Amino acid sequence: CIERLKRIVANGPRKELPCWIELQAARTRKPIDTTVAIQDGRNIEIQLNSSSTSEEVCQDVANDIGLKDTYGFSLYIRLYDKMWSLGNSGEHVLDAISQCEEEMRRQGRLEKDTPWSLSLRKELFTPWHESKLDEVSTDLIYRQIIKGIKAGEYVADKDDDYIQLAIMHYYIKFGSEYSVENVTKVVNECITTQLIESKSRTTWTQFISSAHKEVNQSMLCMVRELVDIARKKWAIHFSKFFEVTMMSGPPLPKSRFIVAVNWTGIFFMDDRNRQLHEIPYIAVKKVQEKRYGLTFLCLLSTITGEYVLKSPEADKIVTLIENNVEGLRQRSVFATAQQDSSKSDDPLFLVCKRGDLLQVDKEKSAPNESCFIATNKRTGSSGAVYKKILLFLPTVTEPTSEILTGKLLLTLQEQLNPKQDKRKVSLALNPVQGEETVTIFKLFVPRRSVSGGRQGHKGGSREKLWIVSREPLKQPLLKVLVNNSELSNLACSPLPILKYMGDYPIKHVRSPVELTDQIFGPATKHEELRDEIYCQIMRQMTTNSNSLSIERGWQLMWLCSGLFPPSWDLLKHTRCFLESRPRYPLAALCLERLQEICRSAWRYEHYLETKILRRLEILIILILQNIVEVTSTTTIGDMRISIASQLILNSPEGYGLYLKTLTKVTVSMEEDKYFFDSLKITSDVPKKKKKGKEGNGTNLPSLVLFKRKLWFNVNPGKDVKADLTFHFPQERSRYLRGYHDCTKEDMITLGGLLFRVKVESDMSQFVMIPKMLKDLVPADQQKIMSPDEWKKHIISSYKQQSGITVDEAKIDFLKIISSWPTFGCTFFEVKQTCESSYPATLLIGINKQGVCLIDPETKVCSIKSTIYFYFYSSLSKGNSFQMTIGTMFRGVTFVCETPHVSDKL
């Protein structure tokens, strides 16, 4: 244990619970023996323990096979057809195995049968990669590329590319001697099955045969060339991917995207692998990591602007980019002159101007000397140049003419000679007397007042932007919105902030809900408006002497700080604004909400918050009378976990929250949605009222339900608390509605158990059995016997079960039901008119086994669950949906009607 403790301290704590193989190893006190597959077909035996990391495993494999150039080789884990990288640093291998076992449990399978496997693959290249440095590394990469081409992992745009690589593979494997049989083998190894089927194997064989020619290169050189071709062609496939949210920076089509870092540069990609933006390393000025609370930020400064990216892996992004930039700079022979250099009295010195591109000959310069020998690419002359005036560019290739003719070389000098950015000008916020002065960068539009000064005065007097005003804005406060007419109109009209705070007269009284919808609604569609809203609220509260207006302004700030954060540029000034007003109770609460929303995704505003914002905490009573506190950033998943914890359930998995309103049927609430956003979407928003009175609460949700939603891994008796609280009530209801197909003997046995649940040991209630049949026997089966016969059989069953408690009767009830194929099904009664061979009214049952269609009269399953259920089409209007059930060759399409469309999908 001491040795294990030392290793876990050195390698860092685990993030997952112990996996099954780890528990087996704990009993034997032996390491875990497994293998790692490498690309040449070998399996390398290794030993794992609880603290083994991907770095250790990669190093062990490298030592075993003689791999020296280990950079970019990562450990991968595969489960079925899914494979992901564990990297080659501090990721715990057994955590990944634990995640695989968790997926098996989710599918209702045993952990010990989890078919995970480990492999070593090339994930990243350095920008200065040289294939000749390590033959073992080059051979593994070559084999990975050939396998990847065959599997369709690496896809070429032209057939000629496949032919070129196939010919190279041929020479590597068989040499220059031609053979049709060997060409056929190469086709089978290099060309995907889809391409072979589209053009035939014979055609591909002819292509490669006709292109075959003598190549005067050794096999080793051919391997290197193939690797270099693939490295350049499929650079994006050899990338490290990170999910990020852009907090601020130059405009992009999306704020949430994927950052791909590879040997060529930094790429911003959308979820469909479309490129949004590209940043070559030569354009990178600086990259650093910053932490704000629990939010991790990557600050990427480039010649086109600074990007602030939020990501839990910000440290890895920064480290990877830094290593590539600094590595390129150290190996670079291209530099830019930071100042003019001219020594007319010494012909040995190079004449150059600030910004000239110089190619440096490092081999002819001694390390301890103060000069380099360089060639001026502009003039073509060579000579000595002082090292101190050179800034080496992060590139191993000569910069293109596009870069040279641009502003890159001059802009890059700011890295070593930072000067005050002339574009940043401070502007006082005019704070309330006695409070701290806050400054903000020049985000605002400087403008002249058209009134209040002499007409002849040039330009008039400058308008005071950052003080309260009861006049409507003619244009937005932020410069970025001025040139966008659509956003500019949304930012200035229809004066909702002034109206909400009471600073602008209105003819008809509007409800606060109506006004807050106008204030925050546009920002849910246009992120560019978020900063404008913050600025307008802060502006209206500055030097404001109206106490009622100030109170309502704080209400708006409280709502706003729980919906979305300001941009990174405005965030620190917003915090300073709040911190400088400690005498207002809501200021501290706004700070807390702002910090919380910075860690979360921004959300929609909900009218319930507007109605109760003075309470500052919200209590929702659930069906089980458990009290749960809900804040602005509480998600449905958070509530599910909190309720399961309060109820002391074994696990929150499989449960769901349902909302039932007075005008809508019960609707399942999505896990990743905020609770208030779910109310916004699923409930009825109060309508405008002519007299301006708010709703009396009739539109609020009438009931929030917590119940079992997914029935994976439900074994009666395993979690008694869940069985008694959820499983029994839900299954009893389905049973009594007549959804299951069961025998008379089962109904008698279950009737005796349900009778015990209802009366416990009170035998005097026997006479009441005929009147209690609706609570003991399925509704559609009560007529198969007379009430007296049911009474006789249920009493007999009850007496046979003597000695058990009510809770034990509930568990026994579930154990009997659980053996039926329809156990755990969610049933929907639907009407269909498309397929005449099926009843007009159908019962659709959905559980972990699949989907089955049941005749409500006979309980016969029309379509077995083993048939593929392969397509859902989009919802049509009303309460109807369309689905297709069947095989790929024959399917049955239904258009069904049910009020439970959302739940069913």
Side-chain angles (χ1 to χ4, degrees):
C1 287
I2 289 176
E3 291 302 317
R4 288 166 60 84
L5 186 58
K6 287 180 180 178
R7 280 184 51 75
I8 205 67
V9 168
N11 292 346
R14 295 270 300 277
K15 297 179 182 179
E16 302 288 340
L17 296 176
C19 53
W20 180 83
I21 62 169
E22 191 174 355
L23 298 178
Q24 302 305 309
R27 295 189 180 96
T28 60
R29 300 175 190 156
K30 293 180 180 179
I32 300 168
D33 294 322
T34 187
T35 60
V36 176
I38 59 177
Q39 298 303 313
D40 60 6
R42 288 182 290 168
N43 290 309
I44 307 302
E45 295 183 357
I46 62 167
Q47 289 186 338
L48 299 175
N49 55 48
S50 297
S51 54
S52 293
T53 63
S54 55
E55 179 181 16
E56 293 174 337
V57 173
C58 288
Q59 192 58 54
D60 288 344
V61 175
N63 294 339
D64 196 298
I65 63 177
L67 177 64
K68 298 177 182 178
D69 183 13
T70 59
Y71 180 87
F73 279 94
S74 298
L75 185 68
Y76 281 74
I77 188 167
R78 178 187 290 274
L79 180 65
Y80 296 116
D81 58 346
K82 182 180 180 182
M83 181 174 64
W84 66 98
S85 170
L86 304 182
N88 55 2
S89 56
E91 293 294 326
H92 288 280
V93 179
L94 292 188
D95 277 354
I97 296 174
S98 181
Q99 292 173 355
C100 294
E101 293 182 357
E102 179 71 22
E103 176 63 19
M104 290 291 285
R105 286 194 295 272
R106 194 188 70 79
Q107 296 178 10
R109 303 181 184 182
L110 298 177
E111 295 93 335
K112 65 178 182 179
D113 297 330
T114 308
W116 57 268
S117 61
L118 300 174
S119 61
L120 186 74
R121 290 170 54 90
K122 184 71 171 179
E123 184 178 19
L124 289 171
F125 286 98
T126 60
W128 52 89
H129 177 82
E130 293 186 34
S131 297
K132 64 182 179 181
L133 295 180
D134 188 352
E135 295 180 10
V136 175
S137 168
T138 303
D139 182 67
L140 291 179
I141 299 169
Y142 149 68
R143 295 178 185 275
Q144 176 179 322
I145 291 167
I146 295 301
K147 291 181 179 179
I149 294 173
K150 177 62 179 179
E153 181 180 354
Y154 308 126
V155 180
D157 298 328
K158 302 177 181 178
D159 291 345
D160 291 344
D161 295 331
Y162 291 112
I163 295 171
Q164 179 189 10
L165 293 171
I167 292 173
M168 297 176 74
H169 178 54
Y170 182 96
Y171 275 96
I172 293 169
K173 191 167 184 179
F174 302 110
S176 59
E177 184 177 348
Y178 175 76
S179 167
V180 176
E181 181 182 354
N182 290 340
V183 172
T184 304
K185 291 180 181 178
V186 167
V187 170
N188 293 335
E189 292 176 357
C190 287
I191 310 301
T192 64
T193 304
Q194 183 179 3
L195 288 174
I196 293 175
E197 291 177 349
S198 65
K199 292 189 176 180
S200 82
R201 196 183 313 275
T202 303
T203 302
W204 281 104
T205 302
Q206 291 174 352
F207 284 161
I208 297 173
S209 297
S210 61
H212 182 274
K213 62 182 179 179
E214 197 71 30
V215 179
N216 296 320
Q217 285 182 299
S218 68
M219 182 183 74
L220 182 57
C221 292
M222 190 71 76
V223 172
R224 295 172 186 169
E225 185 179 348
L226 188 150
V227 169
D228 287 337
I229 290 173
R231 177 173 65 92
K232 295 173 183 177
K233 182 177 295 295
W234 293 300
I236 197 65
H237 290 273
F238 295 98
S239 305
K240 200 76 174 177
F241 299 94
F242 307 92
E243 293 184 2
V244 304
T245 301
M246 189 171 77
M247 307 297 291
S248 69
L252 289 175
K254 294 186 176 182
S255 61
R256 296 181 186 178
F257 47 81
I258 305 295
V259 169
V261 182
N262 58 40
W263 69 273
T264 63
I266 306 156
F267 298 83
F268 296 168
M269 317 284 291
D270 65 9
D271 53 3
R272 296 184 179 179
N273 292 327
R274 292 177 299 191
Q275 184 174 314
L276 305 176
H277 188 53
E278 177 184 356
I279 304 173
Y281 288 121
I282 197 172
V284 175
K285 295 168 59 178
K286 187 178 181 181
V287 60
Q288 58 181 325
E289 178 197 1
K290 281 195 176 182
R291 182 172 177 176
Y292 175 73
L294 297 178
T295 302
F296 297 90
L297 301 175
C298 167
L299 275 62
L300 178 61
S301 179
T302 72
I303 63 174
T304 58
E306 183 177 272
Y307 299 87
V308 179
L309 308 174
K310 182 175 74 171
S311 172
E313 298 181 293
D315 58 331
K316 296 181 180 179
I317 301 176
V318 170
T319 300
L320 187 54
I321 297 175
E322 271 185 341
N323 290 342
N324 286 342
V325 171
E326 291 307 314
L328 283 169
R329 201 184 299 281
Q330 292 172 12
R331 293 165 174 81
S332 176
V333 296
F334 299 98
T336 177
Q338 297 191 83
Q339 64 186 49
D340 294 345
S341 176
S342 176
K343 281 199 172 186
S344 56
D345 57 337
D346 192 344
L348 295 179
F349 274 84
L350 178 67
V351 176
C352 60
K353 294 182 179 181
R354 177 175 177 265
D356 278 350
L357 179 67
L358 310 179
Q359 184 169 351
V360 180
D361 190 345
K362 294 183 177 180
E363 295 180 358
K364 293 183 180 180
S365 307
N368 58 349
E369 293 180 356
S370 60
C371 296
F372 275 130
I373 301 299
T375 301
N376 190 325
K377 303 298 289 186
R378 179 176 60 85
T379 64
S381 58
S382 300
V385 63
Y386 287 111
K387 294 180 179 179
K388 63 182 180 181
I389 73 167
L390 296 180
L391 173 63
F392 280 94
L393 305 179
T395 179
V396 292
T397 59
E398 183 175 344
T400 63
S401 58
E402 295 177 357
I403 295 177
L404 291 175
T405 55
K407 298 181 179 179
L408 171 64
L409 300 183
L410 293 175
T411 308
L412 284 170
Q413 296 176 39
E414 297 176 5
Q415 295 180 84
L416 297 184
N417 293 313
K419 297 180 180 180
Q420 183 177 3
D421 191 343
K422 296 180 180 179
R423 295 172 298 175
K424 296 181 178 179
V425 182
S426 295
L427 176 68
L429 296 191
N430 299 322
V432 179
Q433 185 177 3
E435 295 178 346
E436 180 184 350
T437 299
V438 186
T439 59
I440 192 167
F441 289 144
K442 187 181 177 184
L443 301 171
F444 306 102
V445 184
R447 56 186 82 141
R448 299 283 182 179
S449 176
V450 296
S451 62
R454 293 179 299 171
Q455 295 292 331
H457 190 282
K458 185 178 179 179
S461 61
R462 184 176 293 275
E463 182 183 352
K464 295 181 179 179
L465 290 182
W466 203 260
I467 61 173
V468 63
S469 173
R470 287 168 176 77
E471 295 297 325
L473 289 171
K474 298 297 188 297
Q475 57 181 326
L477 292 174
L478 300 184
K479 295 176 66 176
V480 70
L481 301 178
V482 173
N483 296 326
N484 189 319
S485 59
E486 179 187 0
L487 297 181
S488 181
N489 291 333
L490 288 173
C492 299
S493 178
L495 313 174
I497 293 178
L498 295 180
K499 293 178 181 179
Y500 186 93
M501 295 176 65
D503 294 331
Y504 190 83
I506 50 178
K507 295 180 181 179
H508 302 289
V509 179
R510 300 284 184 87
S511 73
V513 175
E514 214 178 315
L515 292 173
T516 54
D517 277 350
Q518 294 176 9
I519 295 169
F520 302 116
T524 63
K525 300 177 181 178
H526 307 283
E527 295 185 22
E528 300 88 344
L529 293 173
R530 290 183 288 172
D531 280 1
E532 179 74 20
I533 291 175
Y534 271 100
C535 289
Q536 289 193 22
I537 293 173
M538 289 189 289
R539 170 183 185 260
Q540 205 61 17
M541 286 198 292
T542 302
T543 67
N544 192 335
S545 59
N546 187 327
S547 59
L548 179 61
S549 176
I550 284 289
E551 180 185 352
R552 291 179 177 175
W554 280 113
Q555 292 175 9
L556 289 179
M557 180 61 76
W558 186 84
L559 288 170
C560 191
S561 59
L563 293 174
F564 42 72
S567 68
W568 177 254
D569 291 333
L570 187 62
L571 179 59
K572 55 185 176 182
H573 303 293
T574 306
R575 286 174 55 85
C576 197
F577 179 91
L578 298 174
E579 290 169 352
S580 66
R581 288 153 172 78
R583 70 168 178 264
Y584 295 102
L586 279 177
L589 294 169
C590 288
L591 273 172
E592 293 178 8
R593 286 164 64 85
L594 194 62
Q595 185 170 353
E596 180 66 26
I597 201 66
C598 282
R599 298 195 294 263
S600 312
W602 61 288
R603 43 176 297 268
Y604 296 93
E605 178 262 350
H606 185 260
Y607 71 92
L608 182 58
E609 284 183 285
T610 308
K611 292 173 69 67
I612 53 80
L613 62 87
R614 289 188 179 87
R615 288 183 56 187
L616 306 182
E617 65 177 22
I618 303 152
L619 301 179
I620 303 297
I621 300 180
L622 302 175
I623 191 172
L624 296 172
Q625 302 303 310
N626 288 280
I627 305 298
V628 179
E629 182 177 335
V630 183
T631 66
S632 295
T633 54
T634 301
T635 64
I636 301 301
D638 295 335
M639 292 184 67
R640 177 174 60 82
I641 294 172
S642 175
I643 296 168
S645 176
Q646 288 190 38
L647 297 176
I648 320 178
L649 301 178
N650 285 357
S651 170
E653 298 301 324
Y655 294 91
L657 280 164
Y658 292 76
L659 177 67
K660 186 174 184 180
T661 67
L662 296 178
T663 57
K664 291 179 182 278
V665 297
T666 304
V667 179
S668 176
M669 303 168 82
E670 297 182 35
E671 285 285 292
D672 58 344
K673 298 291 185 183
Y674 291 108
F675 178 73
F676 286 120
D677 287 349
S678 299
L679 300 185
K680 180 77 173 180
I681 297 170
T682 57
S683 60
D684 297 325
V685 179
K687 304 296 181 182
K688 296 180 181 179
K689 293 176 172 53
K690 293 183 180 180
K691 296 183 179 181
K693 295 183 180 180
E694 294 186 52
N696 57 7
T698 57
N699 288 304
L700 295 180
S702 58
L703 197 60
V704 178
L705 307 174
F706 181 77
K707 62 181 182 179
R708 169 67 74 171
K709 182 178 181 180
L710 301 175
W711 292 75
F712 299 147
N713 301 323
V714 176
N715 300 310
K718 186 176 180 180
D719 187 350
V720 175
K721 180 73 173 180
D723 288 337
L724 301 180
T725 311
F726 298 99
H727 303 158
F728 174 76
Q730 289 182 229
E731 278 302 317
R732 176 179 58 181
S733 174
R734 294 167 181 165
Y735 168 71
L736 293 178
R737 289 177 184 175
Y739 289 158
H740 298 288
D741 181 20
C742 50
T743 64
K744 183 169 70 173
E745 290 73 17
D746 283 339
M747 288 188 284
I748 292 171
T749 302
L750 295 174
L753 293 171
L754 291 178
F755 183 71
R756 183 173 296 278
V757 170
K758 204 157 186 67
V759 305
E760 298 185 12
S761 57
D762 186 4
M763 296 186 183
S764 63
Q765 297 296 318
F766 284 162
V767 295
M768 302 299 296
I769 288 179
K771 295 183 178 180
M772 296 167 57
L773 282 181
K774 63 182 179 62
D775 297 323
L776 307 177
V777 180
D780 60 339
Q781 299 296 318
Q782 294 176 16
K783 295 181 179 180
I784 64 173
M785 289 191 295
S786 67
D788 289 336
E789 287 180 297
W790 278 116
K791 173 183 175 182
K792 172 184 174 183
H793 289 297
I794 289 175
I795 290 175
S796 174
S797 174
Y798 175 86
K799 291 180 178 179
Q800 292 176 7
Q801 299 160 359
S802 62
I804 64 173
T805 64
V806 171
D807 288 349
E808 290 172 341
K810 293 179 180 179
I811 301 297
D812 289 346
F813 175 89
L814 290 173
K815 288 181 178 178
I816 295 174
I817 296 282
S818 65
S819 64
W820 299 348
T822 47
F823 171 70
C825 267
T826 300
F827 295 95
F828 298 91
E829 295 181 5
V830 301
K831 295 180 179 179
Q832 69 88 25
T833 56
C834 297
E835 183 62 37
S836 58
S837 60
Y838 294 98
T841 300
L842 282 173
L843 197 62
I844 295 182
I846 305 174
N847 65 2
K848 66 180 181 180
Q849 304 296 334
V851 180
C852 58
L853 305 183
I854 303 171
D855 186 334
E857 299 294 331
T858 63
K859 301 297 191 306
V860 174
C861 182
S862 302
I863 295 183
K864 296 181 179 179
S865 59
T866 52
I867 300 296
Y868 290 105
F869 170 53
Y870 70 89
F871 179 72
Y872 271 127
S873 72
S874 58
L875 291 178
S876 58
K877 295 182 179 180
N879 292 328
S880 64
F881 67 94
Q882 179 178 319
M883 69 175 180
T884 302
I885 298 180
T887 65
M888 297 179 64
F889 304 102
R890 183 182 182 275
V892 179
T893 300
F894 294 88
V895 176
C896 307
E897 292 185 4
T898 173
H900 301 275
V901 165
S902 298
D903 273 3
K904 187 176 192 318
L905 288 183

